[in-house]
Structure formats: C-alpha cells, structure tokens
Amino acid sequence: MQFLTKKANPVKSRSHCIIVGAYDDGSLSPSAALIDEASNGYLKKVIKRGDIEGKIGQSVVLHDVAGINAQRVMLVGLGNAETADGPKFIKLTEAVIAQLKRLPAKNALCCLLEVTAGNQDLGWKTRRLVEQFIGGTYRFVEMRGTPPEDKLVLDTVELQLGDKDSQKDVTRGIKEGAAVALGVTAAKDLGNMPSNICTPTYLAQQSQKLAKDYTSVTTQVLDEKQMEKLGMGSLLSVGHGSAEPSKLIVIQHKGGKAKEAPHVLVGKGITFDTGGISLKPAGTMYEMIYDMCGAASVFGAMKAVAEMKLPMNVIGVIAAAENMPSDRASRPGDIVKSMSGQTIEILNTDAEGRLVLCDALTYVEKFKPATVIDVATLTGACVVALGKHASAMYANDDALAADIDAAGIDSHDRVWRMPLWEDYQQQLASSSADMANIGGPAAGSITAACFLARFTKKYRWAHLDVAGTAFNGGMSTKAATGRPVTLLTQYLMDRAAG
Ligand code: BES
Ligand code: MN
Ligand code: ZN
C-alpha cells in the first residue's frame, strides 16, 4: 500500500473514496463541511435521519454525492471532540479500515489528520493511521494453494494535509509508520507460519536474510555445539527431544557509536510447544505454533529499527528450540546446569520458555547492555490475569518500567506492571537443585518472572509476558497480532530521541 500527501479540494477530488468525519454533536470535520456545502447539506441530512450519530466505531458510505467528483464519501463517527484522545483515534481508524475492506475502491483520500486526537500531534496521528491501514489489511496468504476471493483492491491512500507547513511532519510520519508496520507484518508472518516450516533453523535463516537486506544489520547464529561450549545446559535441554536443532540467533543493528551501550531484546522462540514429556492436552495444542511470537516480535522490532535507520545500537537475541517428547527429551525431575552456573530441577517440561530464556539472558551480559527486555509467550496464568488487552510487565528497575509503560500508552500497545517481590521467590525452592522450574499453581506468571530475575541481576531488565496479547486463538480465527512490535519500536524510538 502506498501513502501520499495531498492538498486537495475534497469537492474536486476524483478519489474512489473520500474519508471525512462527524462528531457526536452533529458537527462536521472541515473537509466534511466542504462536501456538505457542495452537496446542499446532504451530509447533515444523513446525520439528521439517524443513519449515523457520530459515535466512534460508526461509519456510512455515501455514493455519488451530488456536487462533488469523488465516487464515494465515507462519513465516520469521531465521537466527542472534547474527550478525543489517542486510543479513540485508533479505534475510529479501525472502523474506517473495516469499512474500506468491503469496498471496490482502489484509492482513498483520507481527511482524518484534521481531526483532534487529544494531545497527540500530527506526526503521531500520521504514524498511527499508516500502521492501522497496513495492519488492518494484513492477511496471511503464504500457505494458501488458491488465492483468497475477497482480495483487497485498495492500493493508494492519500493523506489530506491541513496546510503546507504540515508536509514535513506528515511525510516523516508516513515513513515511520510504514517502517513500524513492516516490522509488525514480519512478526505476524513469522508467528502465523506453521511449525513444520517455521523451525529454529527457519528463524535463523530469516534472521540471516535480515542482515543481507540491511547494511546496519549483522546476524550470528550459534549452533548446539557452540552453545554447549558456553555451558547453556538449560537452553539445550529443551530442544534435546526434538529432531530440529536449537539455535541462538543474535541480530545486531549498529546505528550508534561503536562504544555506545546497546539496548537488547531477547525473544522466546519455541517453534512448537507440545509440553514435552509433561504433554499438553490435545484441545488447543495447535495454538502452540505461536510459542515463538516473542522471538517474532524481536525480529519485527529489529526490522523496523533497521528500516528507520535508528541512530542507536540495538541487539535482538532469539532463543529458538522445539519442545517435543521423545526418548531424548528431558524427564520431569531432571536437573540441568545453566550458563550462569545455577542448577535447575525440571519438575515440569512444559515450563520450557524460562529454560531457554535464562541462558539467553546470561549470554547477553557480554554486551554490557543499557537495558534488556525479554518478550515471551511464557504462561497461561498471564492470560488468566490480564486477558488480551495488556501484556504483563516485570522489571528490576522503576525508571525502565516507567519508560516501557509510557511507550505502551503512546503506541496503544499497552503493558501492566506486575510484582517481582522477593516473597514469591520461595515458591521456586527445589529439594535438590538451586531452583525448580515451576512455582506451583499460585501466581504462575509472577513466579515465571521471578525465575528469570535470578539471571538478570547484572543489568536493567524488564520481562514482557505476551501469552495473552501476541496472538488470538480459535481453530479458524487464530492469528498472530504482531504485538508487542509497536511497543518495542516506540520504546527504542524514544531512547534514540534522547
Ligand atoms: N507456551 C506456554 C504458555 C502459554 C499458554 C502461552 C497458553 C500461550 C497460551 C508455556 O510454555 C507453558 O506451557 N507454560 C505453563 C507453565 C506451567 C507448566 C508452570 C503454563 O502456563 O501452563
Ligand atoms: Mn510450555
Ligand atoms: Zn511455551
């Protein structure tokens, strides 16, 4: 999809669809008012009749409106101008895209940058519009033998400028929004790819391709032998039952000065999670193709960062393995030694995410990172606690937690902070090793985070449990969401801006 800036007269525009808005008090956005005037008060008449009240989420498509040249006018509810804010702006763009997808319009003139989004500026509105247009029209078609019938026809979106001065902000917003959307799309593609194709080796290949596509990026892939030398007994134990070799993938974006401390992202890349010998029930096991969504979001964020050429150093690390039962798989009760030297009793082989992450988290110490954020579909308990609206956030540093929280609000890819109190640590006690890999039925997302905290004492660290946010479930509705790429990218952009 192509985005252009335009300073058009909406009355004269020959666009296939002009998108304008109406507030819930019946007043019109500036472009809507121009169309209303040219059409002899037609838009106001439609509102009076009650076809649209101006509530957010509402929209009507009007065809062949008299007095204008465009084929269609989409009138969208803008809600109340006084209570307008970022999240509401995002919600109304969702309604626009849902409607647009049903139209045979190849191009659209979007006049929504002129509406208020509270204290969010023009650049923000542009970025979010572009992200929403690209994200909202995403489809995973790579695995289909026959192309889908309801193909998207929209290919060009013109963004109507309020005045000449706005050109720079909007152009920049388009660039940034498109870069973030590219990262989100990459994360969705990886997430949606089934596990017979998306193996640890596939993740490594895709990461190596990233280094080919961007000069700022270099990729290094550690194989099992190299990990063994580093003492990653915990990570390696997870993939031991699988025919697919485990990989530790290191993607570096060098956009800052050589000596500048990097921000590090670490992703859980379990390409399929059967549970291992502690086998999961069959019912929704197919959803475990998404157990590499944390890794996919790290990959997507790295792609967005490279695309934007962010002037900073960022390193993405992916801990990739497949969790299978076999005669080589870990048994409940096995004890492994992590790279940190701490030993772990594997009481449940289904708590494998923390086992791969802990070694990756020890590995990244060598980068002397400014901050480390790990992302993982780590626990079902997280879904119980927060559902699909917020990712759980844990942090050993309040300022870092505040930065991530702010990026989440700004990007509307939100987190909710959870406690990492010492009190929970005793749940990880083991009869024979330094710790167990499970903490019992209570506070499952918290004890998983407490486990990771034992490996992250040397740097500022946050953990995001995205089990509820990274994908939607359901046999025919399942899909990766691309979260939290937008959050991670926003966090990094904020740091680059200083
Ligand atoms: N990948 C799962 C967590 C998960 C569950 C993600 C549902 C998305 C949706 C993880 O590896 C797992 O199995 N966790 C166990 C931990 C338990 C054994 C302590 C869980 O949540 O049941
Ligand atoms: Mn598991
Ligand atoms: Zn898992």
Side-chain angles (χ1 to χ4, degrees), residues 268 270 273-275 278 280 284 287-288 290-292 323 347-354 376-383 437-441 444-445 447-448 465-469 471:
K268 169 179 173 182
I270 299 298
D273 181 12
T274 63
S278 313
K280 285 182 182 295
T284 55
E287 287 182 354
M288 288 301 113
Y290 298 115
D291 214 20
M292 36 56 71
N323 188 20
L347 289 179
N348 188 321
T349 64
D350 198 11
E352 84 298 338
R354 61 199 80 180
T377 49
L378 204 59
T379 65
C382 180
V383 191
N437 77 327
I438 54 171
S445 177
T447 53
D465 193 336
V466 296
T469 53
F471 67 93

Side-chain angles (χ1 to χ4, degrees), residues 18-30:
I18 303 188
I19 303 159
V20 296
Y23 291 98
D24 67 359
D25 62 357
S27 63
L28 296 171
S29 69

Side-chain angles (χ1 to χ4, degrees), residues 392-437:
M393 170 179 63
Y394 300 84
N396 64 8
D397 183 286
D398 290 342
L400 173 59
D403 287 342
I404 294 172
D405 187 52
I409 289 168
D410 190 32
S411 61
H412 203 52
D413 187 352
R414 293 167 296 177
V415 301
W416 192 255
R417 192 172 182 185
M418 306 269 278
L420 256 187
W421 300 330
E422 262 317 295
D423 311 59
Y424 290 102
Q425 285 288 356
Q426 66 202 39
Q427 286 179 239
L428 293 169
S430 157
S431 66
S432 356
D434 296 335
M435 71 194 86
N437 77 327

Side-chain angles (χ1 to χ4, degrees), residues 353-370:
R354 61 199 80 180
L355 295 177
V356 296
L357 285 172
C358 70
D359 279 342
L361 287 166
T362 301
Y363 179 79
V364 302
E365 280 175 11
K366 73 175 203 168
F367 298 120
K368 302 202 166 38

Side-chain angles (χ1 to χ4, degrees), residues 222 227 230-236 247-250 264-269 316-320 338-340 353-367 369 372 374 452 455-456 459 461:
L222 275 69
M227 288 191 273
L230 290 167
M232 297 186 168
S234 180
L235 189 157
L236 287 169
K247 306 280 178 191
L248 188 77
I249 305 160
V250 184
V264 175
L265 308 174
V266 178
K268 169 179 173 182
V317 173
I318 290 171
S338 68
M339 183 181 176
S340 72
R354 61 199 80 180
L355 295 177
V356 296
L357 285 172
C358 70
D359 279 342
L361 287 166
T362 301
Y363 179 79
V364 302
E365 280 175 11
K366 73 175 203 168
F367 298 120
V372 176
D374 79 71
L452 298 178
F455 300 84
T456 57
Y459 46 71
W461 160 75

